[in-house]
């Protein structure tokens, strides 16, 4: 059975999503990666970020917190704080393509500055008491950047390397470049995890690694992980109800809850191609009551 990691997705796969997914869809997920924690000069974690990693809000799951920073000391301080909550593995984000992040030479912005990246990794792997894995892209704009980058990673004791098999300039819809991944895999001194555009069982079967990371695939079809693993499908209605209830309890007012649920539906609707009219009603809903009527028309059918 393939091992499955759930990708960090800022604004989507927070603790409420993870908890509902674990409870109602699939209990065989190997690891959940948190959306990135972004430490600043004054604090390692905001209150919102702390709340997301509290062990009591993430029961029964193996969680790997992710950090986005170019400051090695802040990385280590934040990792130590996370260790106080019991976390032993921390993931470093080297893949975020957002312009504001990249312009500060963070996330995928670090991939273009190999000597800076080497100094940064030197400090982290010298001083961080946690085990550190990396999530990266292949480079910034050319595939030729991948090999030197990969060789740099090979100098360090990575817990594992997760590769979103795209360049920064590909963002989320450019071509995936699996050949780069497989060329490196045979020579890697650490395990490598494949990530990018796994949307079906066939896509997953085409991936040669024992472990894969799923992102948008489980937003479009929450059962995808069960289908890939060949286990009993989860309960979509229960998952949806739990999400709605937990967002309602945590957020103030109906509008932010509706916003979250509508964002989820922008992916989920792919599984219901005939529900154009109902989806329009979801998008236009102004109250939870209107929203629930539109959703039940889809889920009941
Ligand atoms: C809405 C959204 C938010 C994301 N947030 C993060 C993040 O916080 N950290 C990270 O490493 N990757 C983030 N990603 C990238 C995903 O983890 C993943 O690498 C990417 O979507 C490719 O995998 P997929 O094709 O299976 O979705 C995000 C992607 C999306 C769509």
């Amino acid at each position: 059975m393939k091992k499955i990691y759930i990708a960090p997705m800022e604004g989507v796969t927070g603790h409420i999503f993870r908890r509902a997914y674990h409870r109602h869809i699939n209990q065989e997920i190997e690891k959940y990666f948190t959306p990135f924690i972004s430490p600043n000069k004054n604090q390692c974690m905001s209150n919102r970020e702390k709340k997301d990693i509290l062990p009591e809000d993430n029961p029964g799951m193996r969680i790997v917190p992710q950090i986005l920073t170019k400051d090695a000391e802040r990385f280590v301080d934040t990792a130590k704080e996370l260790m106080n909550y019991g976390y032993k593995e921390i993931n470093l984000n080297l893949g975020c393509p957002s312009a504001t992040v990249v312009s500060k030479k963070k996330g995928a912005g670090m991939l273009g500055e190999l000597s800076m990246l080497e100094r940064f990794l030197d400090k982290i792997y010298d001083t961080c008491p946690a085990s550190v894995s990396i999530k990266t892209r292949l480079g910034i704009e050319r595939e030729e950047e991948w090999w030197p980058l990969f060789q740099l990673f090979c100098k360090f004791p990575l817990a594992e390397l997760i590769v979103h098999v795209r360049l920064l300039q590909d963002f989320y819809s450019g071509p995936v470049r699996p050949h780069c991944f497989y060329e490196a895999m045979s020579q890697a001194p650490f395990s490598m995890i494949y990530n990018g555009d796994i949307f079906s069982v066939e896509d997953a079967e085409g991936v040669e690694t024992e472990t894969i990371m799923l992102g948008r695939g489980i937003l479009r079809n929450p059962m995808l992980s069960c289908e890939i693993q060949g286990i009993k499908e989860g309960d979509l209605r229960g998952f949806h109800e739990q999400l709605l209830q937990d967002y309602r309890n945590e957020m103030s007012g109906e509008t932010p809850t509706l916003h979250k649920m509508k964002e989820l539906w922008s992916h989920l609707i792919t599984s219901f191609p005939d529900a154009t009219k109902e989806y329009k009603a979801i998008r236009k809903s102004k109250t939870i009551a209107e929203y629930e009527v539109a959703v039940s028309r889809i889920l009941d059918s």
Side-chain angles (χ1 to χ4, degrees), residues 177-191:
R177 303 165 191 272
H179 53 281
C180 298
F181 181 92
Y182 293 120
E183 276 156 29
M185 194 171 91
S186 58
Q187 303 197 24
F190 33 68
S191 62

Side-chain angles (χ1 to χ4, degrees), residues 109-152:
M110 287 192 113
L111 304 180
E113 311 270 343
L114 290 197
S115 46
M116 183 180 105
L117 179 58
E118 182 161 7
R119 286 195 300 277
F120 174 75
L121 294 177
D122 252 334
K123 281 192 206 148
I124 285 181
Y125 282 99
D126 261 2
T127 54
C128 188
S131 126
V132 178
S133 59
I134 292 180
K135 180 164 179 282
T136 188
R137 288 185 180 236
L138 298 166
I140 305 257
E141 48 181 18
R142 287 174 304 115
E143 287 184 7
E144 292 70 40
E145 296 167 39
W146 166 237
W147 200 251
L149 175 63
F150 170 68
Q151 285 180 319
L152 174 59

Side-chain angles (χ1 to χ4, degrees), residues 194-207:
Y194 188 101
N195 167 240
D197 282 16
I198 301 176
F199 294 120
S200 66
V201 174
E202 293 72 40
D203 291 341
E205 281 170 356
V207 174

Side-chain angles (χ1 to χ4, degrees), residues 7-10 12 34-36 66 93 135 164 166 172 195-199 213-217 263:
M9 288 186 276
E10 170 68 6
V12 186
T34 73
F36 64 76
Q66 184 189 65
N93 178 324
K135 180 164 179 282
H164 177 189
R166 285 194 167 91
Y172 291 102
N195 167 240
D197 282 16
I198 301 176
F199 294 120
M213 175 178 269
L214 300 179
R216 291 163 297 174
E263 191 180 348

Side-chain angles (χ1 to χ4, degrees), residues 7 24 48 72 89 92 116 119 136 270 276 283:
H24 297 281
R48 183 181 56 79
E89 178 190 336
L92 168 67
M116 183 180 105
R119 286 195 300 277
T136 188
T270 320
T276 325
R283 287 204 318 269

